[in-house]
Amino acid sequence: MRAPSHPKPHPPKPHRHDPFATLNDQQRAAVEHGLGDETAGTPTPTAPLLVIAGAGSGKTLTLAARVARLMLNGADPQRILLLTFSRRAAAEMNQRVGRLLHQALGLPAAQRPPSLPWSGTFHSVAARLLREHATRIGLAENFTIHDRSDAEDLMGLLRHELDFGDTKNRFPLKATCLAIYSRVVNSRAPLADVLGTVFPWCREWESELKRLFRAYVAEKQNQQVLDYDDLLLYWSQMMLEPALAHALSARFQHVLVDEYQDTNRLQAAILLALKPDGRGLTVVGDDAQAIYSFRAAEVRNILDFPAAFTPPARIVTLERNYRSTQPILEASNQVIARAAQRFTKQLWSDAAASQKPTLVAVLDDTEQAVWVADEVLRQREAGLRLKRQAVLFRSSHHSAAVELEFTRRNIPFVKFGGLKFLEATHVKDVLSLLRWAQNPRARMAGLRVAQLVEGIGTASAKRLMKSIEAAAEPMDALRAFKPPPAAADAWRGFLDTFETLHHNESPWPAELARVDDWYQPQLQRLHADAAVRQGDLAQLARLAANYPSRERFLTELTLDPPEATSDESGPPLLDDDYVILSTIHSAKGQEWSAVFVLNVVDGCIPSDMATGNAADIEEERRLLYVAMTRAKQHLHLLVPQRFYVTQQRAFGDRHLYGALTRFIPPEVAACFERVAGRAVGAGSEPVGAPTPAEAARGRVESFDVAARVRSQWE
């Protein structure tokens, strides 16, 4: 009798976890919107959704969880468009979605979950779509993208050619001209309106600026280049063509947007053209953190979003805060509750604490700096590392006294800002060579690179670019160019390199070695600190290895460049701990255990440059709110009685007497503990202040300074 056969054991099923178990009810409502009744399969686009995500409410987790839920319900990752405002944010979102899918599917740690191929910034996605449809919309397939510096230089060149610099009255400089042009494009406002509201001193030049901008657009098109603003402008124009708009709308079944309060009118128009009925559209943001109007961001986009559709978009509000203590949230809620228009929300937290945030009254910016330094060190001794403390300020120059005090007392710090990576001369040289090889009609890149050839000056470079402009085939003009006799040998060597690059004879990124062979002698010839700058070029090569092609490398690096460069390098920061100094704008999205906000007085917050109308004042209120909600446990608002106007120091020590900001009236001030600067922290007394013993006796010896001065002339 045969022994009964036993079925082969099945491999153990992967252990799955519910990745959404930690979501609170509001977060879950946003994640499950329109999906609750669906079984697995391809989810149909749902009604539009607006998620009002209060500060510290888990916005990124919620958006990532919604993307993961869509994919788990069968949505094709290729048809999900996720738009962010930085490449870092897009990368973080991808990682979070991947972790959630790993947990939900029980995938082995080594197995990669599905990725989001259409996740990125507005501008990077625009560049990909324009490249894809270039021939259909009248663009050259090899178009290149100007960074801000190149765009300014082109504007300046045309400004000069039109003789606008030879007027008796001051015509705006190239940077201002580009700022005006950019504002018109992104705000979708007429030039006259932009000049009247943002650049009133330039109103008299309206007709000349129109001429300049016409020439600027024509020159870019002639060179087959786009600037940063063109990426959105051309995308929006694509969406006016019904067939293209329909194809793109159908291509992306689900469109999700992070930080929607930071969009401008052009970006909002693109989204509405992609999803006219709002189906499949999810936007996440916080109207209370809309602080970028100087970049043409429009808070009305988020305020008006629900009413843009019929029926109106669903609103889900995230109010539970996972960052700050309840006393900090109570004060922050009170500040923003007085906003003229907003989505109502009341942030709350389980993190109870007895310590209120403080209003610290100090005499001036010097005492402010001393008090902050004292408190930073006191908290450090109590176990709070310097990296977990931040000093925030409205304008970069407001931190000058704090920087001096920190330096005097050997408190290391890092301040956000400085020369950008792409602005370094040597980096621009190499990138310009790559751009020119990619697109020989790129005038600004060509002018820059040609003058790197030893013996070729401005006149010869301009002659070369004019011949290229007139030629049917740019390479023919390059080969026929007759350089000055002194540059003949150097030009032959350059032309050999350029032809190799233009025809892509070396695989990417190996062609950078050819660039390096040619550029190294120029680097040594032009820069005394060539060895230091070489480090940046090595970093550039490492970055290049992460991209599949030269075109993708140039595009992505232009749209989202690294920050650091050896041009600003000083002695290396060897401390393992340091305080963060940052403008409030740069601090958005960050958090620290302790936050010090400088100069919380009228004239600084709100800035005296931002009180011209009610909308500007409301943005200043939101700026203070953003600063306050960066703090987790300790929040200190510094209120100097007198502060200096730094820009005027060259003409004297002009100073102003400050009152507590209008955004903290008495009823809001009740949420704070009041502290007198002189009474807090050892060593915080200004020079000449009475000692504690003298103050206790109630007397201080006096003397007649006026008599002493008179006596010098007796």
Side-chain angles (χ1 to χ4, degrees):
M1 186 175 179
R2 296 178 61 185
S5 61
H6 296 284
K8 293 182 179 179
H10 293 290
K13 292 183 178 181
H15 183 61
R16 301 187 180 190
H17 298 278
D18 179 5
F20 311 112
T22 60
L23 298 177
N24 63 43
D25 292 343
Q26 294 170 321
Q27 292 172 332
R28 187 175 288 274
V31 169
E32 302 287 350
H33 168 68
L35 304 177
D37 297 331
E38 292 192 26
T39 58
T42 303
T44 57
T46 56
L49 171 66
L50 169 61
V51 181
I52 298 297
S57 61
K59 167 183 67 68
T60 304
L61 170 62
T62 304
L63 186 56
R66 178 156 179 80
V67 174
R69 170 54 73 194
L70 287 170
M71 294 171 68
L72 289 170
N73 276 51
D76 182 355
Q78 295 279 353
R79 299 185 65 193
I80 295 177
L81 175 60
L82 176 59
L83 296 167
T84 66
F85 276 84
S86 72
R87 189 168 58 186
R88 180 187 302 173
E92 181 183 356
M93 200 73 69
N94 262 314
Q95 291 170 1
R96 290 204 180 206
V97 171
R99 287 197 295 267
L100 291 168
L101 292 175
H102 253 292
Q103 295 175 33
L105 300 174
L107 299 177
Q111 183 174 338
R112 297 181 62 183
S115 61
L116 295 169
W118 285 96
S119 171
T121 67
F122 273 90
H123 292 85
S124 66
V125 168
R128 288 178 62 188
L129 290 174
L130 294 181
R131 190 79 63 185
E132 195 173 288
H133 296 279
T135 55
R136 189 172 177 183
I137 61 175
L139 279 174
E141 290 185 6
N142 66 333
F143 73 83
T144 49
I145 302 171
H146 272 174
D147 61 24
R148 207 70 180 178
S149 176
D150 284 339
E152 279 188 13
D153 288 344
L154 179 57
M155 188 73 77
L157 184 66
L158 296 170
R159 178 183 179 274
H160 174 73
E161 291 179 353
L162 292 171
D163 293 327
F164 289 154
D166 297 332
T167 57
K168 294 181 181 179
N169 298 318
R170 58 170 184 153
F171 189 81
L173 296 174
K174 63 181 182 180
T176 304
C177 292
L178 184 64
I180 295 170
Y181 172 84
S182 180
R183 187 79 177 209
V184 170
V185 170
N186 287 289
S187 67
R188 306 184 85 197
L191 174 60
D193 291 354
V194 169
L195 293 176
T197 57
V198 187
F199 302 91
W201 69 272
C202 300
R203 276 182 293 197
E204 64 178 296
W205 301 109
E206 181 181 354
S207 60
E208 289 84 357
L209 286 168
K210 280 186 178 178
R211 280 184 60 201
L212 175 61
F213 296 159
R214 279 197 298 270
Y216 179 63
V217 170
E219 186 64 24
K220 286 186 295 181
Q221 293 179 352
N222 184 53
Q223 296 181 34
Q224 300 170 358
V225 300
L226 301 181
D227 66 20
Y228 195 68
D229 302 313
D230 285 333
L231 295 170
L232 297 183
L233 182 59
Y234 275 64
W235 187 5
S236 71
Q237 292 298 311
M238 277 174 57
M239 302 307 294
L240 297 179
E241 175 59 38
L244 263 178
H246 178 75
L248 288 177
S249 180
R251 176 178 189 168
F252 299 116
Q253 191 175 29
H254 300 278
V255 179
L256 303 98
V257 186
D258 192 15
E259 304 285 11
Y260 189 67
Q261 78 281 348
D262 294 336
T263 55
N264 57 44
R265 289 177 179 172
L266 192 56
Q267 289 163 324
I270 290 169
L271 291 172
L272 291 178
L274 270 174
K275 296 295 175 187
D277 59 1
R279 293 183 65 78
L281 180 59
T282 298
V283 302
V284 181
D286 183 5
D287 55 299
Q289 298 186 66
I291 59 173
Y292 293 117
S293 67
F294 66 94
R295 297 179 186 166
E298 176 54 70
V299 68
R300 296 293 339 164
N301 287 350
I302 193 168
L303 292 174
D304 297 340
F305 182 84
F309 308 99
T310 304
R314 179 185 179 187
I315 302 174
V316 175
T317 305
L318 308 184
E319 296 178 298
R320 182 176 180 181
N321 178 282
Y322 294 91
R323 175 187 298 154
S324 306
T325 63
Q326 189 59 33
I328 290 175
L329 294 179
E330 288 174 2
S332 303
N333 286 334
Q334 287 292 317
V335 166
I336 203 63
R338 285 154 176 78
Q341 289 184 298
R342 69 186 186 103
F343 288 107
T344 303
K345 62 180 174 297
Q346 193 75 7
L347 296 183
W348 62 275
S349 171
D350 286 334
S354 58
Q355 181 185 1
K356 291 182 176 182
T358 60
L359 288 173
V360 185
V362 293
L363 179 63
D364 54 22
D365 58 352
T366 299
E367 185 178 327
Q368 176 176 245
V370 171
W371 192 92
V372 169
D374 286 343
E375 188 65 12
V376 163
L377 293 178
R378 188 191 69 78
Q379 292 187 151
R380 175 177 176 270
E381 291 303 313
L384 193 62
R385 296 192 65 190
L386 297 181
K387 285 183 181 178
R388 294 170 60 192
Q389 305 184 55
V391 181
L392 307 183
F393 31 87
R394 174 64 178 83
S395 300
S396 183
H397 64 268
H398 288 172
S399 66
V402 170
E403 293 176 49
L404 288 172
E405 185 66 15
F406 279 12
T407 300
R408 184 179 72 83
R409 296 169 67 167
N410 196 28
I411 302 174
F413 64 89
V414 171
K415 183 176 180 180
F416 285 98
L419 186 65
K420 304 297 184 184
F421 185 80
L422 295 187
E423 294 171 1
T425 301
H426 49 297
V427 175
K428 282 185 67 67
D429 289 345
V430 170
L431 293 178
S432 293
L433 177 53
L434 292 172
R435 288 194 185 101
W436 197 23
Q438 183 82 8
N439 174 13
R441 294 192 186 275
R443 184 178 181 185
M444 301 315 298
L447 284 172
R448 183 185 190 94
V449 174
Q451 293 179 78
L452 292 175
V453 179
E454 190 170 11
I456 291 184
T458 304
S460 296
K462 287 183 177 179
R463 177 165 56 87
L464 168 63
M465 296 312 298
K466 284 184 178 180
S467 66
I468 290 175
E469 183 179 346
E473 172 51 54
M475 289 306 301
D476 291 342
L478 276 160
R479 296 185 190 102
F481 176 66
K482 301 297 183 184
D489 291 340
W491 177 255
R492 280 193 294 271
F494 166 76
L495 188 59
D496 181 53
T497 296
F498 189 87
E499 293 216 52
T500 300
L501 295 174
H502 178 66
H503 295 296
N504 294 110
E505 294 179 11
S506 301
W508 179 260
E511 66 185 62
L512 278 175
R514 185 65 187 264
V515 173
D516 193 60
D517 287 343
W518 178 80
Y519 184 67
Q520 278 301 320
Q522 326 312 323
L523 184 69
Q524 300 291 335
R525 175 171 56 87
L526 297 170
H527 300 288
D529 58 347
V532 175
R533 294 171 185 261
Q534 180 57 42
D536 286 337
L537 300 182
Q539 173 66 10
L540 199 65
R542 287 191 290 271
L543 289 171
N546 297 319
Y547 295 89
S549 67
R550 177 172 65 195
E551 176 269 313
R552 283 289 297 276
F553 171 67
L554 291 173
T555 298
E556 294 295 332
L557 202 63
T558 300
L559 299 182
D560 193 10
E563 297 289 329
T565 167
S566 63
D567 269 16
E568 62 179 352
S569 294
L573 182 62
L574 299 180
D575 294 275
D576 63 347
D577 204 8
Y578 45 83
V579 183
I580 300 297
L581 271 59
S582 174
T583 63
I584 300 172
H585 285 100
S586 295
K588 185 171 173 288
Q590 306 297 313
E591 62 181 40
W592 296 275
S593 296
V595 169
F596 304 83
V597 186
L598 304 183
N599 296 333
V600 186
V601 295
D602 260 47
C604 289
I605 303 177
S607 167
D608 55 6
M609 299 296 291
T611 54
N613 56 62
D616 288 345
I617 293 173
E618 286 304 310
E619 179 155 331
E620 293 291 302
R621 183 195 308 277
R622 296 192 294 267
L623 199 64
L624 176 60
Y625 174 80
V626 166
M628 293 173 63
T629 52
R630 301 309 94 198
K632 298 171 72 174
Q633 286 96 26
H634 310 283
L635 174 63
H636 308 287
L637 306 188
L638 281 295
V639 187
Q641 297 174 23
R642 179 178 66 190
F643 58 93
Y644 290 91
V645 182
T646 305
Q647 303 98 309
Q648 303 292 331
R649 286 270 174 96
F651 304 98
D653 64 345
R654 178 178 171 230
H655 61 271
L656 303 175
Y657 288 95
L660 178 62
T661 175
R662 68 189 73 180
F663 303 136
I664 305 181
E667 57 271 27
V668 178
C671 298
F672 294 82
E673 177 186 350
R674 290 184 177 271
V675 173
R678 295 185 184 185
V680 177
S684 63
E685 295 81 12
V687 175
T691 65
E694 290 170 331
R697 292 195 303 269
R699 65 176 181 81
V700 179
E701 291 186 8
S702 61
F703 48 87
D704 190 344
V705 174
R708 292 185 179 185
V709 171
R710 288 194 304 272
S711 68
Q712 294 180 8
W713 304 99
E714 292 177 354

